[in-house]
Amino acid sequence: MTLAEHHVPGSVDTYYIPNFVTADEESYLLRKIQETPQPKWKQLSNRRLQTWGGDLTTKNVLLTQPLPPFICNYPDLISRIASTGAFDESPHQRPNHVILNEYHPGQGIMPHQDGPAYHPVVATLSLGSHTVMHYYDLPAHEREPILSLLLEPRSLVITTREQYTARAHGIDVVMEDRIRDFELANAAMLSSGDDGDGGDDDDDDDDDNDDDGDGVGVTLFPAEGEVLQRRTRYSLTCRDVARVMNVGIETRFCRERKF
Ligand SMILES: O=C(O)CCC(=O)C(=O)O
Ligand SMILES: [Fe+2]
């Protein structure tokens, strides 16, 4: 696979990979996430989150902690992300920091930028539900998005360079997404015929669009017409913090396992 094959048409520095993890891997990851102890969660006003890989100091140094085995060993998510080539020019050639966000239907994240602590590449895996991610020119408030992507469950979206440094991104606070309200830049890249229920699917072909000619897989999720009801979505936002300080004993960013 080359990253270029997954370039989102009309975008700057944005890549979309459907079915980056299998339905079985998704179920496993969701179970592991449910099993994490309550105190690991940080409650924010409109979502809750966990931080894996360590905490950032006020000077943007990562005090490294080991990443959980369920993103290093099985599935080998970190290596799989590294193998896309997206992190080839980042300081550690792979993510060393992951934010897990949980969004219930009706929750989202205000348009924002991810800031200077990270090398300007972010890879985000969606689990459990779709969402629609909007990208904005700066300043972001009260502007129409310049790019909108439907992020399917199990998909990976990668933004790099200018898309990272010169734009904001956000998720609307809505219970359902009216997919015709936005031009979805990745419409022709979506998987199809996949009911998203964690069962086995036979559509491993990334280019397998639906047949109705408009490129949007309208039967992907419980959908009435062109409205996609949101379910609870978990996202893993994976990035490389340039400056690290090893405070633990195991700080090799799960580099050693090869599959
Ligand atoms: O949930 C997402 O896909 C985006 C999360 C995000 O933008 C962040 O954590 O900075
Ligand atoms: Fe962000």
Side-chain angles (χ1 to χ4, degrees):
M1 185 207 79
T2 68
L3 205 50
E5 290 167 33
H6 295 281
H7 179 252
V8 175
S11 78
V12 185
D13 306 327
T14 304
Y15 305 87
Y16 180 78
I17 308 177
N19 295 315
F20 190 72
V21 294
T22 66
D24 283 349
E25 289 169 338
E26 179 188 39
S27 303
Y28 180 77
L29 286 166
L30 288 171
R31 181 157 63 79
K32 287 296 183 189
I33 289 167
Q34 311 292 352
E35 284 173 7
T36 53
Q38 280 297 321
K40 291 237 179 230
W41 289 102
K42 183 174 174 196
Q43 185 68 52
L44 306 183
S45 60
N46 221 1
R47 68 197 149 97
R48 40 174 212 166
L49 63 80
Q50 293 185 31
T51 304
W52 298 338
D55 291 322
L56 284 170
T57 69
T58 50
K59 294 208 158 94
N60 290 334
V61 176
L62 180 67
L63 306 176
T64 56
Q65 293 288 325
L67 289 162
F70 54 85
I71 59 169
C72 291
N73 298 341
Y74 177 83
D76 56 337
L77 202 55
I78 297 294
S79 299
R80 210 179 292 177
I81 290 172
S83 74
T84 66
F87 285 83
D88 282 2
E89 287 162 28
S90 84
H92 306 97
Q93 286 91 50
R94 59 181 49 224
N96 59 9
H97 190 258
V98 177
I99 293 180
L100 164 68
N101 281 298
E102 178 194 67
Y103 306 86
H104 294 303
Q107 297 189 316
I109 187 166
M110 295 277 291
H112 66 280
Q113 288 196 283
D114 286 355
Y118 306 101
H119 179 80
V121 175
V122 54
T124 302
L125 182 71
S126 294
L127 301 170
S129 177
H130 80 282
T131 199
V132 174
M133 180 73 78
H134 298 298
Y135 298 87
Y136 301 86
D137 269 334
L138 300 173
H141 47 270
E142 295 184 22
R143 291 225 192 166
E144 289 300 307
I146 52 153
L147 185 79
S148 302
L149 301 182
L150 177 60
L151 306 185
E152 299 167 285
R154 300 183 290 286
S155 71
L156 189 78
V157 62
I158 299 172
T159 55
T160 64
R161 301 189 185 89
E162 199 180 315
Q163 184 72 344
Y164 181 99
T165 56
R167 307 201 197 290
H169 54 279
I171 298 171
D172 289 348
V173 174
V174 293
M175 300 292 290
E176 59 192 25
D177 291 289
R178 301 184 162 271
I179 53 175
R180 292 287 180 264
D181 287 359
F182 306 99
E183 193 175 324
L184 297 170
N186 62 334
M189 308 173 86
L190 299 173
S191 63
S192 77
D194 181 342
D195 57 13
D197 67 357
D200 277 344
D201 301 305
D202 60 2
D203 63 338
D204 293 328
D205 179 0
D206 289 351
D207 297 317
D208 182 18
N209 296 322
D210 62 331
D211 296 331
D212 62 5
D214 65 6
V216 175
V218 289
T219 56
L220 291 182
F221 322 103
E224 287 197 10
E226 295 158 347
V227 178
L228 301 186
Q229 301 293 332
R230 283 205 193 154
R231 297 188 290 190
T232 298
R233 172 174 174 265
Y234 295 87
S235 64
L236 300 187
T237 299
C238 307
R239 290 173 289 208
D240 187 0
V241 181
R243 297 171 64 206
V244 300
M245 191 185 285
N246 293 347
V247 290
I249 35 170
E250 274 202 54
T251 52
R252 284 173 292 165
F253 315 136
C254 48
R255 200 179 275 277
E256 49 287 290
R257 289 288 292 264
K258 284 264 184 293
F259 287 82

